[in-house]
Amino acid sequence: MKTLFLTVRIPYPPDSGGSIRTWNLFSFACGCHAVTLLTFLHSKHELELLPVMQSLVSVAHIETVVHPFVQSPTARWGSLPAGLISQLPYPVVKYRSKAMQTRFSELIDRTHFDLIHCETVHMMQYVKRPSPIPVVLDQQNIQSALLDRVARSQ
């Protein structure tokens, strides 16, 4: 099965709760399927980690897009007002990128994927709906459940 795996960060190293979970899903999928990873890069260090990650899993292909905040430090400040006036939640606006949309569209056009795996709602904005390809949206945290736990503990 050809799977497109969309993440906001490369899933390596697995050094926090979210990245451990993403790494385990990603590495398991790589063992069973032809996985293409499309992800944002947030630093030069992450670029150096890609060969290490590739030596650990059998990933078919990796595509990266430099996150807009890395390209232009002022982009972060420009996204704040955009988040206030947008109908979209700020975390979605924060990951809006024309370069990512272009790369995603190019991948979809040139490769027949059987499944798109979106790691968090941030990356769902790149998938056209309804999608002709089955899509799995994987959320690491359910914010309402976390808020409920906090409220019950107080």
Side-chain angles (χ1 to χ4, degrees):
M1 179 184 295
K2 288 185 179 179
T3 303
L4 177 57
F5 213 92
L6 300 174
T7 64
V8 295
R9 291 186 174 277
I10 69 167
Y12 187 83
D15 57 3
S16 68
S19 65
I20 291 169
R21 184 177 183 283
T22 301
W23 172 254
N24 286 331
L25 285 169
F26 175 73
S27 60
F28 180 81
C30 287
C32 305
H33 307 287
V35 176
T36 295
L37 173 66
L38 177 58
T39 188
F40 279 110
L41 286 179
H42 296 264
S43 70
K44 290 180 183 177
H45 176 67
E46 286 183 344
L47 189 59
E48 295 165 1
L49 291 172
L50 289 175
V52 177
M53 185 181 74
Q54 287 177 295
S55 73
L56 298 172
V57 295
S58 180
V59 61
H61 187 67
I62 297 174
E63 293 273 343
T64 61
V65 173
V66 176
H67 191 278
F69 292 1
V70 176
Q71 291 176 335
S72 166
T74 58
R76 172 173 285 156
W77 302 112
S79 71
L80 292 172
L84 290 172
I85 61 174
S86 175
Q87 293 181 348
L88 298 171
Y90 176 71
V92 173
V93 173
K94 176 181 170 184
Y95 285 97
R96 178 153 291 186
S97 163
K98 288 181 184 177
M100 180 61 80
Q101 184 65 63
T102 299
R103 189 72 52 89
F104 175 83
S105 297
E106 289 169 354
L107 278 170
I108 294 297
D109 289 345
R110 75 171 187 242
T111 307
H112 170 76
F113 289 106
D114 301 301
L115 180 71
I116 299 171
H117 179 107
C118 277
E119 193 70 20
T120 75
V121 72
H122 310 81
M123 300 305 281
M124 271 303 289
Q125 64 186 305
Y126 301 108
V127 180
K128 293 180 183 171
R129 290 176 288 284
S131 173
I133 304 168
V135 178
V136 173
L137 171 60
D138 191 10
Q139 284 294 103
Q140 297 172 9
N141 291 334
I142 302 171
Q143 296 300 337
S144 60
L146 295 174
L147 293 172
D148 183 54
R149 286 185 204 152
V150 170
R152 289 177 193 266
S153 69
Q154 293 180 354

